[in-house]
Amino acid sequence: MIVNEFPDRKILVDGVEYLYFGGTNYLGMTTNAEFQTILFESIKKWGTGYGSSRNSNVKLSIYESAEKLLAKNLNTEAALTVSSGMLAGKLVVEYLSKTTDAMFHFPDVHPALMNPPSLSILVNGELNPKLFDATISKIAVLTDAVPSQYVEPIDLNILLTIPKEIQINLVIDESNSFGILENDWKNALKKENINIIKVASLGKAIGISGGVIAGNKHFISEIRNLDCFIGAAGMNPAFLETYVNAQELYISQQKKLQQNLYYIDTHFTNRELFTFNAAYPIIYFEDDSVSKRLLKNRIITTSFKYTNASGKLNRIVITSNHTTQDLEKLLTQLNANF
């Protein structure tokens, strides 16, 4: 279906109004009036775009201040912004493909991190035997923080069983969790041979177009020197100023989302066909009759062919902007017998 304006909690299709429980606008930032005001003021200061290399002799101060804040919020030493989450993933994979002995991935990793030579880290539920090859001393492991069809952070404890002699560069895509979940990977994977690198799109919960790479200072310095980074224009500086100045608003929107998820959790009784976790704003389902019933009752959810491996993706997305009445209408349908 084609729409003529950005869908928030409601969506207009062919002149008919529906409730919208789709997309990735988890914190409702993109249509938030206060957030838009912050953005408009930022555009007045920094313009609508910046088509210059970050290595130019003229440097904009907002990049440094915003990247320091992103590093703090992502719990890393340093961070580097780029024009998209996809580019963030591709830059990291490009670098690691040339500086490690082998690459491995967890199931359903996002296409931004997929690299043709990458091997599945699991074979029949066990670590890939290739990991124990005598020629391998440095590897990259690629994963989503919360893989598609999951509603909880991925369990990475199996990495702790890899011999300590192997240096692990663990790349975690936080696109669907940044701003939503506080993933403490450092303490969960407290092992000297694991170096954690994070990438994320900022176009989801954060509500701005761009991407971020976060890790230790040495790694970020190496990415900064890649030709593809040097040759590309930086992320829109007005968006970065908006991110810096909207920190209090992010917190208040996070609280609203938590309240909505608590309401769903306490009133959602018929869960047999669904996958839901009260800490995460997505409800997954496989039965197409769910989408049909919701659509018949003027509720639109997300449904599309995601990847060849994952098949069709059906999900209900709860945002900070949904009202209690919206949630009641949704739950009336979900709690009914199918």
Side-chain angles (χ1 to χ4, degrees):
M1 59 188 70
I2 306 297
V3 298
N4 296 316
E5 61 182 8
F6 189 90
D8 187 19
R9 48 176 285 270
K10 292 186 177 181
I11 186 172
L12 200 64
V13 180
D14 297 330
V16 179
E17 187 177 79
Y18 294 77
L19 285 178
Y20 184 56
F21 286 90
T24 57
N25 188 30
Y26 307 126
L27 296 180
M29 303 301 289
T30 56
T31 54
N32 183 283
E34 187 178 346
F35 187 72
Q36 290 177 347
T37 298
I38 296 171
L39 174 59
F40 297 156
E41 292 301 314
S42 299
I43 289 174
K44 290 178 185 177
K45 180 177 180 179
W46 295 108
T48 58
Y50 187 64
S52 178
S53 169
R54 290 284 302 277
N55 276 25
S56 170
N57 59 312
V58 176
K59 302 186 187 302
L60 306 188
S61 60
I62 187 59
Y63 286 112
E64 182 178 358
S65 56
E67 287 166 355
K68 283 183 178 179
L69 180 59
L70 282 163
K72 177 184 176 183
N73 289 343
L74 283 162
N75 196 26
T76 60
E77 287 184 357
L80 191 65
T81 55
V82 292
S83 58
S84 73
M86 181 66 77
L87 180 59
K90 293 301 182 186
L91 284 173
V92 169
V93 168
E94 175 193 340
Y95 175 79
L96 292 176
S97 66
K98 298 174 183 177
T99 57
T100 59
D101 300 321
M103 304 187 80
F104 298 86
H105 61 268
F106 277 85
D108 293 324
V109 68
H110 192 277
L113 296 184
M114 280 307 296
N115 189 43
S118 179
L119 304 170
S120 175
I121 195 165
L122 300 175
V123 177
N124 297 323
E126 302 291 335
L127 285 174
N128 191 321
K130 182 72 174 176
L131 278 162
F132 303 95
D133 191 308
T135 63
I136 290 179
S137 62
K138 191 174 184 180
I139 66 171
V141 177
L142 317 171
T143 185
D144 285 8
V146 183
S148 176
Q149 307 286 2
Y150 286 73
V151 293
E152 296 178 353
I154 189 168
D155 184 354
L156 298 174
N157 284 327
I158 196 167
L159 298 181
L160 299 176
T161 64
I162 295 176
K164 62 181 180 179
E165 293 77 21
I166 297 177
Q167 178 62 43
I168 303 169
N169 290 284
L170 173 61
V171 184
I172 305 175
D173 189 334
E174 295 267 13
S175 295
N176 280 308
S177 53
F178 184 39
I180 303 297
L181 297 174
E182 297 294 332
N183 294 320
D184 191 5
W185 304 111
K186 273 188 177 179
N187 285 326
L189 300 170
K190 220 167 190 179
K191 206 173 177 186
E192 289 185 2
N193 66 322
I194 299 178
N195 172 42
I196 298 175
I197 301 157
K198 300 179 181 180
V199 299
S201 165
L202 300 176
K204 298 188 178 185
I206 306 304
I208 54 178
S209 294
V212 62
I213 303 165
N216 64 47
K217 291 179 181 179
H218 173 74
F219 182 81
I220 295 302
S221 176
E222 291 291 299
I223 298 296
R224 188 184 289 274
N225 289 321
L226 290 178
D227 288 345
C228 284
F229 177 79
I230 295 171
M235 182 180 162
N236 189 321
F239 289 153
L240 289 172
E241 176 100 341
T242 302
Y243 176 72
V244 171
N245 292 336
Q247 291 299 300
E248 290 184 6
L249 185 57
Y250 284 121
I251 293 171
S252 65
Q253 290 295 101
Q254 287 166 351
K255 289 180 180 178
K256 289 179 182 178
L257 178 60
Q258 289 166 1
Q259 290 169 355
N260 281 348
L261 292 176
Y262 177 77
Y263 185 89
I264 293 285
D265 192 40
T266 54
H267 294 83
F268 193 5
T269 58
N270 186 22
R271 304 191 186 188
E272 185 177 347
L273 298 177
F274 305 94
T275 303
F276 172 65
N277 173 7
Y280 197 62
I282 297 176
I283 303 172
Y284 286 104
F285 60 92
E286 295 183 0
D287 190 341
D288 286 338
S289 68
V290 175
S291 294
K292 293 175 182 177
R293 170 181 282 185
L294 292 175
L295 185 62
K296 185 178 179 180
N297 287 276
R298 295 190 179 179
I299 297 174
I300 292 177
T301 60
T302 291
S303 181
F304 65 100
K305 186 74 165 57
Y306 186 56
T307 65
N308 290 333
S310 300
K312 194 172 183 180
L313 191 69
N314 295 307
R315 63 186 186 185
I316 299 163
V317 178
I318 314 300
T319 76
S320 303
N321 291 350
H322 284 119
T323 66
T324 300
Q325 290 73 28
D326 297 339
L327 302 180
E328 288 175 348
K329 290 179 181 179
L330 174 67
L331 287 167
T332 295
Q333 301 305 320
L334 298 187
N335 286 333
N337 292 324
F338 285 89

